[in-house]
Amino acid sequence: MTVEANVRRLQLALPEAPRPLGDYVPAIEAGNLLFVSGMLPMKDGAPAFLGRVGQELTIESGRRAAQLAVANALAVARDAVGLNRLAGVARLGIHVACALDFQEHAAIADAASELLNQVFEGRHSRLAFGNSSLPGGMPVELELIFLLHPKERSIQNKEERCTITILKT
C-alpha cells in the first residue's frame, strides 16, 4: 500500500504545509534522505497548543500536539518530494517543553511514533528531549529524517530513438 493510500485509510487530513518561522527552508533532500526542519503544532498559521506538558498542559494534550506536528511534517514532505516518494522514517527527534520534574517524555513521543508507524507500516529510531521552552511557547517540536525511494528520470536520445531511465539516488 502506498503512503498516500495509508494516509487516506487513516483518514488523516494533511494541512497546508506550515511556513518557516525564520531564515531556513522546511526540508532538504540529500541523497536518499529528506531532512524536515523542526515542526511545531501549528494550525492555519497559528499555534494550536501553548504551554508546557505537566504544567499548563496534560499528557493527552501533548500527545495531540505531537500528532499535529507529524501531520505538518508530512505536509512539508508532500510538498517537497511527494508522499509516495517516502520509503519510511529513519529517525524522529522530538523536543517536549515540560515542567522541570516531568518524566513522561516517551508518552508524548509515542503519539508521534504510533502515527508514523501506521502511515509507513514500519518503525524508526527516535530521540526524545525535555526542554524548558520551545518556539512560540508551543509544547512540542519534532524533526524527521525520511528515507526516500529513488527518483526516476527519463532521457530521450533523439539519434537512437530510445529511452534511458536513470535511477537517481
Side-chain angles (χ1 to χ4, degrees), residues 13-19 42-45 71-76 78-79:
L14 297 183
E16 282 192 38
R19 295 178 183 256
M42 304 275 291
K43 186 172 182 176
D44 300 324
N72 285 334
L74 289 169
V76 165
R78 174 198 61 210
D79 291 358

Side-chain angles (χ1 to χ4, degrees), residues 11 57 95 106 156:
Q11 299 179 351
L57 296 175
H95 295 263
Q156 182 76 33

Side-chain angles (χ1 to χ4, degrees), residues 50-125:
L50 291 171
R52 283 181 234 153
V53 182
Q55 196 163 320
E56 296 89 4
L57 296 175
T58 64
I59 289 175
E60 185 53 40
S61 293
R63 288 177 57 84
R64 288 195 317 271
Q67 290 172 331
L68 178 55
V70 166
N72 285 334
L74 289 169
V76 165
R78 174 198 61 210
D79 291 358
V81 299
L83 289 177
N84 287 336
R85 228 169 115 245
L86 303 177
V89 176
R91 187 178 78 188
L92 163 67
I94 185 163
H95 295 263
V96 181
C98 55
L100 290 176
D101 60 347
F102 187 74
Q103 297 180 10
E104 300 298 321
H105 304 83
I108 308 305
D110 280 347
S113 288
E114 291 160 2
L115 181 56
L116 289 166
N117 292 343
Q118 289 177 353
V119 169
F120 292 99
E121 298 177 344
R123 297 173 68 166
H124 51 269
S125 65

